[in-house]
Amino acid sequence: MLSNLNHLTLAVSDLNRSIDFYRQLLGLKMHARWDNGAYLTCGDVWICLSVDAQRQYVPPQHSDYTHYAFSVDESDFAAFVACLQRAGVVTWKENKSEGASFYFLDPDGHKLEAHVGNLAQRLAACREKPYKGMEFFD
């Protein structure tokens, strides 16, 4: 049985550029790197950057909502977003849900989110204003 999210692997076109983005701009911790990849962590989540010779920048698709969200403290949110904006990151969505969020792309077009809040807060907001057809199981 599954017990937790183990790791995320992201295909990248330029390893050095991606390491700089995830390590320097986002502040992830680097653990290892090799010719075609790197291991970093964000809290307990292990992230593998893996060079894919076929990978090219993929512009955001409006129909695809798949993305990876990282937690950021509310007290750090504005400064973090300002840092990303100064670095010229591309945004792909405006926040419309509970909790502060900033939706942005990495250098290869992977959709990312910096989010203030957690599941308990989201569920509390949804109990007050549920999505169409929403059911709760706890």
Side-chain angles (χ1 to χ4, degrees), residues 70-108:
F70 297 93
S71 294
V72 61
D73 287 337
E74 187 171 8
S75 61
D76 297 327
F77 183 76
F80 183 76
V81 169
C83 177
L84 294 179
Q85 290 173 327
R86 280 192 306 275
V89 300
V90 175
T91 59
W92 62 273
K93 180 182 184 315
E94 294 298 319
N95 185 34
K96 296 178 184 172
S97 60
E98 170 276 327
S101 285
F102 182 70
Y103 297 88
F104 59 102
L105 301 178
D106 82 351
D108 285 285

Coordinates of all heavy atoms in Angstrom, one line a residue, residues 70-108:
F70 N 4.5 23.9 -4.0 CA 5.4 24.0 -2.9 C 4.8 24.9 -1.8 O 4.2 25.9 -2.1 CB 6.8 24.5 -3.3 CG 7.5 23.7 -4.3 CD1 7.3 23.9 -5.7 CD2 8.3 22.6 -3.9 CE1 8.0 23.1 -6.6 CE2 8.9 21.8 -4.8 CZ 8.8 22.1 -6.2
S71 N 5.0 24.5 -0.5 CA 4.6 25.4 0.6 C 5.5 26.5 0.8 O 6.7 26.4 0.7 CB 4.5 24.5 1.9 OG 3.5 23.5 1.8
V72 N 4.9 27.7 1.2 CA 5.7 28.8 1.6 C 5.0 29.5 2.7 O 3.7 29.5 2.7 CB 5.9 29.8 0.4 CG1 4.6 30.3 -0.1 CG2 6.9 30.9 0.8
D73 N 5.7 29.9 3.7 CA 5.1 30.6 4.9 C 4.5 31.9 4.4 O 5.0 32.6 3.6 CB 6.1 30.9 6.0 CG 6.6 29.6 6.7 OD1 5.8 28.6 6.7 OD2 7.6 29.7 7.3
E74 N 3.4 32.2 5.1 CA 2.7 33.5 4.7 C 3.6 34.7 4.9 O 3.5 35.6 4.1 CB 1.4 33.6 5.6 CG 0.5 34.8 5.2 CD -0.8 34.8 6.0 OE1 -1.0 34.0 6.9 OE2 -1.6 35.6 5.6
S75 N 4.4 34.7 5.9 CA 5.3 35.8 6.2 C 6.4 36.0 5.1 O 6.9 37.0 4.9 CB 6.0 35.7 7.6 OG 6.7 34.5 7.6
D76 N 6.7 34.9 4.3 CA 7.7 34.9 3.3 C 7.1 35.1 1.9 O 7.8 35.3 0.9 CB 8.5 33.6 3.3 CG 9.3 33.5 4.6 OD1 9.7 34.5 5.2 OD2 9.5 32.3 5.0
F77 N 5.8 34.9 1.8 CA 5.1 34.8 0.5 C 5.4 36.1 -0.4 O 5.9 35.9 -1.6 CB 3.6 34.6 0.6 CG 2.9 34.5 -0.7 CD1 3.0 33.3 -1.4 CD2 2.2 35.5 -1.2 CE1 2.3 33.1 -2.6 CE2 1.5 35.4 -2.5 CZ 1.6 34.1 -3.1
A78 N 5.2 37.2 0.0 CA 5.3 38.4 -0.8 C 6.8 38.6 -1.3 O 7.0 38.9 -2.5 CB 4.9 39.7 0.0
A79 N 7.7 38.4 -0.4 CA 9.1 38.5 -0.8 C 9.5 37.4 -1.8 O 10.3 37.7 -2.7 CB 10.0 38.5 0.5
F80 N 9.0 36.2 -1.6 CA 9.3 35.1 -2.5 C 8.8 35.4 -3.9 O 9.5 35.3 -4.9 CB 8.7 33.8 -1.9 CG 9.1 32.6 -2.8 CD1 10.3 32.1 -2.7 CD2 8.1 32.0 -3.6 CE1 10.6 30.9 -3.5 CE2 8.4 30.9 -4.4 CZ 9.7 30.4 -4.3
V81 N 7.5 35.9 -3.9 CA 6.9 36.2 -5.2 C 7.7 37.3 -5.9 O 8.0 37.3 -7.1 CB 5.4 36.5 -5.1 CG1 4.8 37.1 -6.3 CG2 4.7 35.3 -4.7
A82 N 8.0 38.3 -5.1 CA 8.8 39.5 -5.7 C 10.1 39.0 -6.3 O 10.5 39.5 -7.3 CB 9.0 40.6 -4.6
C83 N 10.8 38.1 -5.6 CA 12.1 37.6 -6.1 C 11.9 36.8 -7.4 O 12.6 37.0 -8.3 CB 12.6 36.6 -5.0 SG 14.2 35.8 -5.5
L84 N 10.8 36.0 -7.5 CA 10.5 35.3 -8.7 C 10.2 36.3 -9.9 O 10.7 36.1 -11.0 CB 9.4 34.3 -8.5 CG 9.6 33.2 -7.6 CD1 8.4 32.3 -7.5 CD2 10.8 32.3 -8.0
Q85 N 9.4 37.3 -9.5 CA 9.1 38.3 -10.6 C 10.3 39.1 -11.0 O 10.4 39.3 -12.2 CB 8.0 39.2 -10.0 CG 6.6 38.5 -9.9 CD 5.6 39.3 -9.2 OE1 5.9 40.2 -8.3 NE2 4.3 39.1 -9.6
R86 N 11.2 39.4 -10.1 CA 12.4 40.1 -10.5 C 13.3 39.2 -11.4 O 14.0 39.7 -12.3 CB 13.2 40.5 -9.3 CG 12.8 41.8 -8.6 CD 13.7 42.3 -7.6 NE 14.1 41.3 -6.6 CZ 13.5 41.1 -5.5 NH1 12.4 41.7 -5.2 NH2 13.9 40.2 -4.6
A87 N 13.2 37.9 -11.2 CA 14.0 37.0 -12.0 C 13.3 36.7 -13.3 O 13.9 36.0 -14.2 CB 14.1 35.6 -11.2
G88 N 12.1 37.3 -13.5 CA 11.4 37.2 -14.8 C 10.7 35.8 -15.1 O 10.5 35.5 -16.2
V89 N 10.4 35.1 -14.0 CA 9.7 33.9 -14.3 C 8.3 34.1 -14.9 O 7.7 35.2 -14.7 CB 9.5 33.0 -13.0 CG1 10.8 32.7 -12.3 CG2 8.6 33.7 -12.0
V90 N 7.9 33.2 -15.7 CA 6.6 33.3 -16.4 C 5.5 32.8 -15.5 O 5.6 31.7 -14.9 CB 6.6 32.5 -17.7 CG1 5.3 32.5 -18.4 CG2 7.7 33.1 -18.6
T91 N 4.4 33.5 -15.4 CA 3.2 33.0 -14.7 C 2.3 32.3 -15.7 O 2.2 32.7 -16.8 CB 2.5 34.2 -14.0 OG1 2.0 35.1 -14.9 CG2 3.4 34.9 -12.9
W92 N 1.5 31.3 -15.1 CA 0.7 30.6 -16.0 C -0.8 30.6 -15.6 O -1.7 30.2 -16.3 CB 1.1 29.2 -16.2 CG 1.2 28.3 -14.9 CD1 2.2 28.2 -14.1 CD2 0.1 27.4 -14.5 NE1 1.8 27.3 -13.0 CE2 0.6 26.8 -13.3 CE3 -1.1 27.1 -14.9 CZ2 -0.2 25.9 -12.5 CZ3 -1.9 26.2 -14.2 CH2 -1.4 25.6 -13.0
K93 N -1.1 31.2 -14.4 CA -2.4 31.2 -13.9 C -2.5 32.2 -12.8 O -1.6 32.5 -12.1 CB -2.8 29.8 -13.3 CG -4.2 29.6 -12.7 CD -4.3 28.2 -12.2 CE -5.7 27.9 -11.6 NZ -6.3 28.8 -10.8
E94 N -3.7 32.8 -12.6 CA -4.0 33.7 -11.5 C -4.7 32.9 -10.4 O -5.5 32.0 -10.7 CB -4.9 34.9 -11.9 CG -4.2 35.8 -12.9 CD -3.0 36.5 -12.3 OE1 -3.0 36.9 -11.2 OE2 -2.0 36.6 -13.1
N95 N -4.4 33.2 -9.2 CA -5.0 32.5 -8.1 C -6.5 32.8 -7.9 O -6.8 34.0 -7.9 CB -4.2 32.8 -6.7 CG -4.7 32.0 -5.6 OD1 -5.1 30.8 -5.8 ND2 -4.7 32.5 -4.4
K96 N -7.3 31.7 -7.8 CA -8.7 31.9 -7.6 C -9.2 31.1 -6.4 O -10.4 31.0 -6.1 CB -9.5 31.5 -8.8 CG -9.2 32.4 -10.0 CD -9.9 31.9 -11.3 CE -9.5 32.7 -12.4 NZ -10.0 32.2 -13.7
S97 N -8.3 30.4 -5.7 CA -8.7 29.5 -4.6 C -8.2 30.1 -3.2 O -7.5 31.1 -3.2 CB -8.2 28.1 -4.8 OG -6.8 28.1 -4.8
E98 N -8.6 29.4 -2.2 CA -8.3 29.8 -0.8 C -6.8 29.7 -0.7 O -6.1 28.9 -1.2 CB -9.0 28.7 0.1 CG -8.5 28.8 1.6 CD -7.3 28.0 1.8 OE1 -7.0 27.0 1.2 OE2 -6.5 28.5 2.7
G99 N -6.3 30.7 0.1 CA -4.8 30.7 0.4 C -4.1 31.4 -0.7 O -4.4 31.3 -1.9
A100 N -3.1 32.2 -0.3 CA -2.3 32.9 -1.3 C -1.5 31.8 -2.2 O -0.9 30.9 -1.6 CB -1.3 33.8 -0.6
S101 N -1.5 32.0 -3.5 CA -0.8 31.2 -4.4 C -0.2 32.0 -5.5 O -0.8 33.0 -5.9 CB -1.7 30.1 -5.0 OG -2.0 29.1 -4.1
F102 N 1.0 31.6 -6.0 CA 1.6 32.2 -7.1 C 2.0 31.0 -8.1 O 2.7 30.1 -7.7 CB 2.9 32.9 -6.7 CG 3.6 33.6 -7.9 CD1 3.0 34.7 -8.5 CD2 4.8 33.2 -8.3 CE1 3.6 35.4 -9.5 CE2 5.5 33.8 -9.4 CZ 4.9 34.9 -10.0
Y103 N 1.4 31.1 -9.3 CA 1.6 30.0 -10.3 C 2.7 30.4 -11.3 O 2.5 31.5 -12.0 CB 0.3 29.7 -11.0 CG -0.8 29.2 -10.0 CD1 -1.6 30.1 -9.4 CD2 -1.0 27.9 -9.8 CE1 -2.6 29.7 -8.5 CE2 -2.0 27.4 -9.0 CZ -2.8 28.3 -8.4 OH -3.8 27.8 -7.5
F104 N 3.7 29.6 -11.5 CA 4.8 30.1 -12.3 C 5.4 28.8 -13.0 O 5.2 27.7 -12.7 CB 5.9 30.8 -11.5 CG 6.5 30.0 -10.4 CD1 7.7 29.4 -10.5 CD2 5.8 29.9 -9.2 CE1 8.3 28.7 -9.5 CE2 6.4 29.1 -8.1 CZ 7.6 28.6 -8.3
L105 N 6.2 29.1 -14.1 CA 6.9 28.0 -14.8 C 8.4 28.0 -14.5 O 9.0 29.0 -14.2 CB 6.8 28.3 -16.3 CG 5.3 28.5 -16.9 CD1 5.4 28.8 -18.4 CD2 4.5 27.2 -16.7
D106 N 8.9 26.7 -14.6 CA 10.3 26.6 -14.4 C 10.9 26.8 -15.8 O 10.2 27.0 -16.8 CB 10.7 25.2 -13.8 CG 10.7 24.0 -14.7 OD1 10.2 24.1 -15.9 OD2 11.1 22.9 -14.3
P107 N 12.3 26.7 -16.0 CA 12.9 26.9 -17.3 C 12.4 26.0 -18.4 O 12.6 26.3 -19.6 CB 14.4 26.8 -17.1 CG 14.5 27.1 -15.6 CD 13.3 26.5 -15.0
D108 N 11.9 24.8 -18.1 CA 11.4 23.9 -19.1 C 9.9 23.9 -19.3 O 9.3 23.0 -20.0 CB 11.9 22.5 -18.7 CG 13.3 22.3 -19.0 OD1 13.7 22.2 -20.2 OD2 14.1 22.3 -18.1

